[in-house]
Amino acid sequence: MPAPSSSAAVGVRTPGLKLEKPIDLGAPGALVATDRGVIFRTRDDELTGVPLAEAPARLRAKESADGTRALRGPPLTFARSSHVYWVTRGKLVRRAFNWDATAASGPLEVLANDAHDGTRVAAETLAADPGTAGRDVALYIARAVRAGDERVARAWVEGAGTIGITSEGSGASSVALAKTPTRLLAISLDARAAMSPVHARTIEVGFQGPPRLGSDVVVFVGPPPESHIDVAAVAGSEGPVAFIPFARDTSSFGLASLAIGSEPHLDAPVQWNIYPGGIDPAPVDGAVVCQRVWTAYARPSDADGGSPNLLELSPVDGGAFGRGITAGQGFDFSLISMAARADGGAWLAWVGNGRSWVRGLKCS
């Protein structure tokens, strides 16, 4: 991967944010950033962790053992319950991961047998009564039952099994979850040949029993997709915001920010961050960092297809993008994962140009 550009040098500052030096984590792999470090999936569906309290020299020493990493696949998803979720061989699965026990993982749990391979899972942990375990909710794409059927979004709820999220007559190609103070918001993208409706509905989960679903609302209708598109979501102080890379029209491509809010409604306000050219894949993620919503995304550096791509960070206020700053550059960004830390900062991890990387974000 090319060296970070001058705007991504050590000690880069933007109002409220400082970027630390990038750390090379070795071979590429399906990964997820957490508050404690980065977790990788292996080819045998085991988990390995890189705790980021270690010095970079010790991180480099781990590279000799990273040949077992799963080189392809969507990002993993990490819930506050310390469970890691993903789809493998048509199954929705999870493992518990314990950073305090020498980064040990628990047994593989199969949660559903109808998951669509190659799709991303979204998961959140809901608060529980004192002295009881929390309840996880995992949103995933279920494969079509018969030829010609739609793929749909389903949710696995701890202690209640799976339920359908997609309304009859609709489909789903990518999903995201955002946690509000009282419930979850399930966001699904239905990428079709002629258009891409974005659906949102609330999920209320008590300490026990089945979940309660709100109405399925089409909050935005995007253009037809040019390739596979994933949606990301962040719950900020003004409610959930969804991020979707779209071709806005026949001549422009960029990142759409949908200010969905805590109560989904028709015609959610949309803001655009237009790229100087298209990009495929177009990974994106987001997190609350230093008390603001930030999104991380890959975009072309210019309209020349031979120029490097950039990994950028932008603050988002009221759904509007602020000035972006560069966190990395290269020619092949395939995966981005952000995770907030207890100190208000975050870890930004990505895969690019045949390597895995991570960079610390601190409040300044």
Side-chain angles (χ1 to χ4, degrees):
M1 185 174 188
S5 64
S6 59
S7 60
V10 178
V12 166
R13 289 179 183 270
T14 192
L17 193 67
K18 176 183 178 182
L19 278 67
E20 299 179 320
K21 182 178 179 181
I23 300 172
D24 185 348
L25 297 180
L31 59 77
V32 63
T34 79
D35 60 336
R36 301 278 296 276
V38 176
I39 300 173
F40 289 88
R41 176 173 68 88
T42 74
R43 297 187 183 98
D44 296 327
D45 284 322
E46 300 285 345
L47 298 174
T48 62
V50 180
L52 292 173
E54 296 189 28
R58 293 186 64 190
L59 291 174
R60 287 196 296 269
K62 291 179 176 289
E63 186 169 346
S64 61
D66 66 14
T68 62
R69 291 176 183 173
L71 301 182
R72 299 183 182 276
L76 309 174
T77 298
F78 185 77
R80 292 184 179 91
S81 65
S82 293
H83 283 91
V84 181
Y85 291 81
W86 69 98
V87 170
T88 181
R89 300 175 181 88
K91 298 178 176 61
L92 171 68
V93 300
R94 73 172 184 176
R95 284 187 189 272
F97 194 86
N98 188 348
W99 284 110
D100 296 325
T102 62
S105 60
L108 185 72
E109 300 177 59
V110 177
L111 310 177
N113 292 291
D114 61 348
H116 189 85
D117 283 321
T119 56
R120 190 170 182 171
V121 180
E124 287 284 355
T125 302
L126 297 170
D129 284 322
T132 64
R135 298 184 75 185
D136 276 8
V137 175
L139 194 63
Y140 70 100
I141 300 296
R143 61 181 178 271
V145 176
R146 295 176 298 272
D149 286 354
E150 299 278 2
R151 290 180 293 171
V152 297
R154 295 183 62 82
W156 175 85
V157 181
E158 191 123 34
T162 60
I163 60 166
I165 298 296
T166 302
S167 297
E168 186 175 354
S170 298
S173 54
S174 180
V175 292
L177 271 178
K179 187 177 181 181
T180 73
T182 59
R183 53 193 175 178
L184 296 174
L185 187 68
I187 301 164
S188 61
L189 174 68
D190 184 9
R192 296 173 174 267
M195 60 181 178
S196 300
V198 180
H199 297 252
R201 71 189 309 175
T202 57
I203 305 177
E204 296 185 34
V205 180
F207 298 128
Q208 58 184 359
R212 297 175 294 278
L213 299 180
S215 300
D216 183 356
V217 179
V218 176
V219 296
F220 177 74
V221 178
E226 294 186 348
S227 59
H228 178 76
I229 297 173
D230 274 323
V231 56
V234 180
S237 59
E238 299 175 337
V241 181
F243 301 106
I244 310 173
F246 271 134
R248 185 176 64 173
D249 49 44
T250 57
S251 61
S252 61
F253 184 94
L255 184 62
S257 166
L258 302 180
I260 297 176
S262 299
E263 192 64 45
H265 54 86
L266 297 172
D267 299 323
V270 58
Q271 304 276 354
W272 288 90
N273 181 356
I274 298 299
Y275 300 169
I279 183 172
D280 181 27
V284 60
D285 204 3
V288 175
V289 187
C290 305
Q291 301 181 337
R292 299 177 73 183
V293 172
W294 286 80
T295 180
Y297 52 92
R299 73 165 182 86
S301 58
D302 57 44
D304 181 2
S307 299
N309 295 321
L310 302 178
L311 171 60
E312 287 203 341
L313 290 158
S314 288
V316 180
D317 296 303
F321 293 96
R323 182 179 178 182
I325 58 174
T326 302
Q329 67 177 25
F331 290 93
D332 179 21
F333 291 101
S334 61
L335 186 159
I336 297 172
S337 179
M338 288 183 75
R341 301 191 310 237
D343 64 359
W347 293 112
L348 171 63
W350 70 93
V351 174
N353 278 35
R355 307 293 289 178
S356 297
W357 303 83
V358 69
R359 192 164 195 173
L361 311 178
K362 283 190 173 182
C363 303
S364 61

